[in-house]
Amino acid sequence: MATFLYKLGRLAFRRRHFVALIWVALLTLAGVGAASAPAAGNTSFSIPGTEAQKAFDLLEQRFPGMSADGATARVVFKAPKGEKMTDAVNKATVEKTVTQLRSGSEVASVADPYTGHAVSKNGTIAYASVKYEVSGMELADSSKDALTDAAQDARDAGLTVEIGGDALSATPETGSSEIIGIAVAAVVLVITFGSLLAAGFPLLTAIIGVGIGVSAITALASALDLGTTTSTLASMIGLAVGIDYALFIVSRYRAELAEGREREDAAGRAVGTAGSAVVFAGLTVVIALVGLSVVNIPMLTKMGIAAAGTVAIAVLIALTMIPALLGYAGRRIKPAGQKSRLLGGGRTPKKPGRPNMGTRWASFVVRRPVAVLLLGVLGLGAAAVPAASLELGLPDDGSQPTSTTQRRAYDLLSEGFGPGFNGPLMIVVDAKDSADPKAAFAEVGDEIKGLKDVVTVTPATPNKAGDTATITVVPDSKPSSTTTEDLVHAIRDKGADIARKTDSQVLVTGSTAMNIDVSQKLNDALLPYLALVVGLAFLLLIVVFRSILVPLKAALGFLLSVMAALGAVVAVFQWGWLSGLMNVEETGPVMSMMPIFMVGVVFGLAMDYEVFLVTRMREAYVHGEKPSQAVVTGFKHGARVVTAAAVIMIAVFSGFIGSSESMVKMIGFGLAIAVFFDAFLVRMAIVPAVLALLGKRAWWLPKWLDRALPNVDVEGEGLRAHAAEEEKELVRA
């Protein structure tokens, strides 16, 4: 592979006009496709195989036109101090608002508070329920505007009015911290390369790659039912790996220049060596993202595949466009160790010949491997302890910042009707095979009333055929609590008994039950997903490193860093440690998607650092260095680049901590702390310590397996043979 990529790098360097034209054409084509593609609604959300989804599907069949999965909104009214919602003036304002809400084009129904018993016992709070014909993801902006306008008119009349439900999805505000993160990335690149031009290449190619990927997703969004979350994930991952991959190759190019190679040859060798690492690092990311399909959530599968496509584009751009840009830059890109004149180039170094920081650190670790290993493992183990208390759930309006109308509506409903009112459960009773459907409906209601943590059970509402009914149950606890989750399981257990007695089927659905089912599905899929991703990557790394113990060490180190990162997330977002510093207003269960999402993303980035750092060690070992010296050599050439890549990723991910959305904040913090643990504690400390202790055994591979595996030549041994062959041909000539 190294020889093929070497030739590709030289070709791209020579034919830079052609290569640049191809990528500009692809970017233009994708942009035109995105601009001309039909506007796509947000992706539909379904969870195949869950009870909540089965109930939604049944409602679609038995209650045509009900829009079971349609968006809902609760317009909550509170009377001024000393007044009640039943006062004539306030009542007239509410009825006017209800009439205004009913005029919406996508509105299926609006329940009047005064006819629907939606006024609190003390008379100070009331709410109007709005049901839409389409889901919250598909709701038009005009419908959302009409909803907020109606609420504002009621506020102008003197009432306190807030809106809850999924009809209004709050737009996360990331603030200036995200911009600061990108600025930090640019500064780190400049410091790493000592050149504004060289620093600009990784940013430029990453932006082009993300532009092509996101434009392609936008162009195909309507045909493939892709939503905005798909492009968001693709852009985040694409930007992260795009900068990393370009950084690796530009850094190797400058190192080759420092060894006295011609620029075209240096570009070829950079792509042949660092490019080989990029290919396999990219493959691990693709495996992690495509592996999300094992969860069997269509939206998550599409997100993973789309992001994997963007990663593939980032790899191709790094292998072709980077050498082309290096060809354009010419002598303006300095060899490693030299800076541009603008940044102080040409000055005599204060201490010539002094080993760099990476060399000094690796030499220290090689001398004290046991102490470094113990400190690293114990530190990560301590950080991972809170993960034992991990509770999973999905965020609701109660986790929103208090500045949002959703959160204020949530608090008003809790005040007027109890915390469980924000997460009612919908019970669907299928009595098609029952001899007495009405008796079955009554039996279900009576059984549920006797359960713990139940406040209200509404009478059954049958369909026209009389064979199916819905019952609304209001719990006593808030939607995200474990008590409500226990109630859902208790109702389902009762449903099994009722089914045997009455020949009817009882299904629990609604947003709260759906969240519980999604959390359970993601939790059940975590171990299979982890086994698939780590297993495939383990096999891939065996091929790359020609070793059993190095890939095993890489996988175990990754698991340690992920557990430590999950522990940090639990400590901050579930326990409330440092919550003030992180501006976490409401603690609660960790988002159920967080562990599996963290595994996928962090695994890919961790393997980037592992492949790039350890391939340099493997290269030095294959070329004759002793194992301990090979570790030092790998750090001499790779530590600075890996450190820069990690700092960039931490800065970019940390930018999301400033978001007003708790879910985005949690993802940003989790990814940033995971990259910190993995890059600086695992790759920079534990990895060299383990390799120093293992010595030659680290690179052991059974002979039969060595013969069976393909030789991908990541360390570039084939390049030496290729160079020797070229020298012989020159001598003959």
Side-chain angles (χ1 to χ4, degrees), residues 383-414:
V385 169
S389 303
L390 177 67
E391 294 178 7
L392 298 178
L394 287 176
D396 54 26
D397 287 346
S399 61
Q400 296 272 10
T402 52
S403 59
T404 63
T405 186
Q406 290 92 337
R407 173 60 185 275
R408 291 196 292 264
Y410 181 97
D411 292 340
L412 284 176
L413 287 172
S414 297

Side-chain angles (χ1 to χ4, degrees), residues 256-443:
E256 296 292 339
L257 288 179
E259 293 182 9
R261 303 192 191 282
E262 293 295 326
R263 293 186 177 274
E264 183 179 324
D265 187 48
R269 285 181 173 274
V271 175
T273 52
S276 297
V278 164
V279 169
F280 283 98
L283 277 175
T284 60
V285 182
V286 169
I287 287 171
L289 291 170
V290 173
L292 289 171
S293 58
V294 303
V295 183
N296 195 27
I297 296 179
M299 183 180 72
L300 199 59
T301 300
K302 293 172 185 176
M303 288 169 62
I305 293 174
T310 307
V311 170
I313 293 171
V315 171
L316 293 174
I317 282 186
L319 297 178
T320 57
M321 193 168 183
I322 284 294
L325 291 175
L326 293 173
Y328 280 119
R331 297 187 179 278
R332 284 171 291 183
I333 300 295
K334 305 295 182 182
Q338 296 184 24
K339 298 180 180 180
S340 65
R341 291 186 178 276
L342 183 64
L343 297 173
R347 297 175 186 172
T348 303
K350 295 180 180 179
K351 296 181 180 180
R354 185 188 182 192
N356 63 19
M357 180 64 78
T359 302
R360 298 198 301 273
W361 169 250
S363 299
F364 169 77
V365 174
V366 168
R367 290 196 305 270
R368 302 283 189 272
V370 175
V372 172
L373 179 61
L374 287 176
L375 283 174
V377 171
L378 289 175
L380 289 172
V385 169
S389 303
L390 177 67
E391 294 178 7
L392 298 178
L394 287 176
D396 54 26
D397 287 346
S399 61
Q400 296 272 10
T402 52
S403 59
T404 63
T405 186
Q406 290 92 337
R407 173 60 185 275
R408 291 196 292 264
Y410 181 97
D411 292 340
L412 284 176
L413 287 172
S414 297
E415 176 189 338
F417 302 93
F421 199 79
N422 284 288
L425 306 175
M426 179 181 286
I427 314 301
V428 181
V429 186
D430 180 7
K432 190 174 184 179
D433 298 327
S434 176
D436 190 351
K438 289 184 179 180
F441 301 154
E443 176 78 12

Side-chain angles (χ1 to χ4, degrees), residues 187-195 244 247-248 251-252 254-255 335-339 343 355-362 609 612-613 616 632-648 679-680 684:
V187 171
V188 171
L189 286 170
V190 171
I191 294 173
T192 302
F193 291 132
S195 165
D244 272 9
L247 172 65
F248 295 160
S251 175
R252 186 59 185 259
R254 296 178 71 237
Q338 296 184 24
K339 298 180 180 180
L343 297 173
N356 63 19
M357 180 64 78
T359 302
R360 298 198 301 273
W361 169 250
Y609 308 141
F612 187 77
L613 194 61
R616 212 67 199 280
V632 176
T633 300
F635 268 75
K636 174 184 176 181
H637 295 292
R640 181 183 179 91
V641 180
V642 170
T643 299
V647 170
I648 288 169
F680 294 107
M684 292 291 186

Side-chain angles (χ1 to χ4, degrees), residues 30 33-34 37-38 40 210-235 302-303 305-310 313:
V210 169
I212 293 172
V214 171
S215 296
I217 290 170
T218 304
L220 298 172
S222 178
L224 300 181
D225 191 25
L226 305 176
T228 53
T229 50
T230 305
S231 58
T232 300
L233 176 64
S235 62
K302 293 172 185 176
M303 288 169 62
I305 293 174
T310 307
I313 293 171

Side-chain angles (χ1 to χ4, degrees), residues 647-731:
V647 170
I648 288 169
M649 291 305 98
I650 291 170
V652 172
F653 291 140
S654 295
F656 292 93
I657 298 176
S659 173
S660 61
E661 178 98 15
S662 62
M663 182 173 67
V664 177
K665 186 190 297 286
M666 190 182 297
I667 289 174
F669 173 80
L671 294 181
I673 198 70
V675 170
F676 172 79
F677 285 150
D678 196 272
F680 294 107
L681 295 183
V682 174
R683 308 303 151 192
M684 292 291 186
I686 294 177
V687 165
V690 171
L691 291 178
L693 288 171
L694 290 175
K696 289 185 178 180
R697 289 168 294 181
W699 308 108
W700 171 80
L701 187 70
K703 291 183 178 179
W704 64 268
L705 185 56
D706 189 33
R707 291 191 298 268
L709 292 176
N711 184 13
V712 296
D713 189 25
V714 175
E715 62 274 359
E717 183 64 24
L719 294 181
R720 290 194 170 191
H722 181 75
E725 192 65 31
E726 285 186 340
E727 288 180 7
K728 288 180 181 179
E729 290 180 1
L730 288 173
V731 170

